[in-house]
């Protein structure tokens, strides 16, 4: 099963992916997470990507496509069969490349789910989000706070605001998303696999909507 999760920054792609990994045995490929890992490791790729991410712009296609290809091949070799793509593809060339990469392995996208959230609520979600520096668990200072302020419940790591969760960068990320979302809808609507889910509901209800619309 290949599931693609789309949605604006803060729509809940990462939150839902974590639940789908836990409950439905998916392997998550998040280009945002892969890029942040490269930044943390201090690689050249990470340094180059950071300059784009800090401005809320997309990292060049060639960089992202190469990363995804590598992780997908590695995990197919390990016998993984069900993948969630979280935040990839984000451009039509990325969508075309994913189609080719999957095709080489006899796979195709089965469901493309758009999580739709009213843009007013997104800024609150993102400015209130805190992420564990060690294990990347996601919290929200009001909706899902950690037991001890600033400390991860799971590993005791420090909770931080992502550098691209500053309001001026958020606005740029939202514009970037608006510019590409309909092109991606059009790309996948040809295959009749696009589903729309209301993301302005509780985390549990959004999860159930994804399960039902993607027929998991
Ligand atoms: P990426 O990391 O993918 O960021 P994003 O798409 O902006 O999405 P977010 O991670 O911010 O939000 P999310 O939808 O996962 O929401 P979450 O579940 O955390 O990308 C970052 C950057 O990397 C990009 O800007 C770009 O520069 C680069 N990049 C990445 N992929 C790329 C690609 N393919 N091509 C080129 N460049 C790329 O939830 C947010 C908050 O809301 C949390 O606090 C959570 O607790 C809360 N929340 C979640 N669900 C709910 C709910 N139902 N109700 C209330 N609160 C909720």
């Amino acid at each position: 099963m290949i599931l693609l999760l789309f949605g604006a920054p803060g729509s809940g792609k990462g939150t839902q992916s974590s639940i789908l990994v836990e409950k439905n045995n998916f392997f998550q490929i998040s280009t945002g997470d892969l890029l942040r890992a490269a930044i943390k490791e201090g690689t050249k790729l990470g340094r180059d990507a950071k300059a784009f991410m800090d401005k809320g712009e997309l990292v060049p296609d060639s960089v992202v496509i190469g990363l995804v290809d590598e992780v997908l091949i590695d995990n197919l070799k390990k016998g993984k069969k069900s993948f969630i793509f979280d935040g990839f593809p984000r451009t039509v060339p990325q969508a075309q490349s994913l189609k080719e990469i999957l095709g080489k392995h006899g796979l195709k996208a089965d469901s493309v789910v758009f999580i739709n959230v009213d843009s007013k609520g997104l800024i609150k979600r993102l400015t209130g989000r805190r992420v564990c520096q060690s294990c990347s668990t996601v919290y929200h200072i009001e909706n899902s706070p950690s037991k001890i302020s600033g400390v991860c419940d799971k590993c005791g790591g420090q909770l931080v605001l992502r550098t691209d969760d500053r309001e001026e960068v958020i606005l740029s990320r939202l514009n970037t998303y608006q510019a590409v979302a309909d092109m991606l809808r059009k790309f996948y609507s040809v295959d009749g696999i696009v589903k729309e889910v209301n993301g302005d509901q509780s985390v549990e209800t959004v999860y159930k909507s994804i399960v039902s619309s993607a027929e998991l």
Side-chain angles (χ1 to χ4, degrees):
M1 172 77 174
I2 306 289
L3 171 63
L4 273 50
L5 279 190
F6 291 144
S11 56
K13 302 179 295 295
T15 301
Q16 295 300 328
S17 295
S18 304
I19 304 173
L20 287 156
V21 165
E22 201 184 303
K23 294 194 179 172
N24 301 74
N25 212 21
F26 276 99
F27 183 85
Q28 176 192 9
I29 299 182
S30 157
T31 38
D33 287 349
L34 293 172
L35 293 167
R36 279 185 290 278
I39 292 172
K40 208 170 169 182
E41 283 163 25
T43 63
K44 177 169 185 319
L45 188 152
R47 284 193 301 278
D48 292 347
K50 190 174 183 329
F52 293 94
M53 293 168 80
D54 282 350
K55 286 187 279 182
E57 292 172 7
L58 293 179
V59 173
D61 288 341
S62 56
V63 173
V64 183
I65 291 166
L67 267 181
V68 169
D69 199 11
E70 206 179 301
V71 176
L72 180 67
I73 290 172
D74 195 34
N75 283 283
L76 283 169
K77 278 186 195 153
K78 289 179 186 160
K80 300 266 189 316
K81 290 191 169 63
S82 294
F83 293 87
I84 306 175
F85 288 86
D86 160 6
F88 181 89
R90 263 173 152 106
T91 64
V92 170
Q94 288 183 18
Q96 273 156 347
S97 294
L98 180 62
K99 197 168 185 174
E100 283 163 28
I101 296 169
L102 291 174
K104 271 191 224 156
H105 301 284
L107 299 167
K108 62 175 178 54
D110 297 295
S111 250
V112 174
V113 176
F114 280 82
I115 306 176
N116 301 310
V117 176
D118 188 85
S119 58
K120 284 180 212 143
L122 292 173
I123 295 183
K124 208 169 170 209
R125 282 195 189 184
L126 293 172
T127 52
R129 172 167 61 185
R130 297 293 180 271
V131 182
C132 176
Q133 252 183 339
S134 306
C135 72
S136 302
T137 298
V138 173
Y139 297 86
H140 189 280
I141 51 173
E142 286 171 11
N143 304 340
S144 54
S146 56
K147 288 186 187 117
I148 303 169
S149 172
V151 180
C152 179
D153 293 347
K154 288 194 184 159
C155 74
Q158 190 190 354
L159 304 185
V160 294
L161 183 74
R162 258 171 53 177
T163 53
D164 59 351
D165 278 349
R166 288 170 289 122
E167 206 161 324
E168 66 277 17
V169 186
I170 293 172
L171 294 176
S172 162
R173 288 161 62 202
L174 289 173
N175 288 337
T176 304
Y177 175 74
Q178 296 305 340
V180 297
D182 280 338
M183 282 190 273
L184 291 170
R185 265 196 186 89
K186 206 165 158 195
F187 184 92
Y188 287 107
S189 63
V190 175
D191 298 327
I193 54 172
V194 174
K195 326 277 166 163
E196 306 283 346
V197 161
N198 175 9
D200 270 322
Q201 309 180 87
S202 71
V203 170
E204 183 60 25
T205 308
V206 177
Y207 167 71
K208 284 183 185 155
S209 306
I210 294 173
V211 167
S212 146
S213 59
E215 297 173 36
L216 300 181

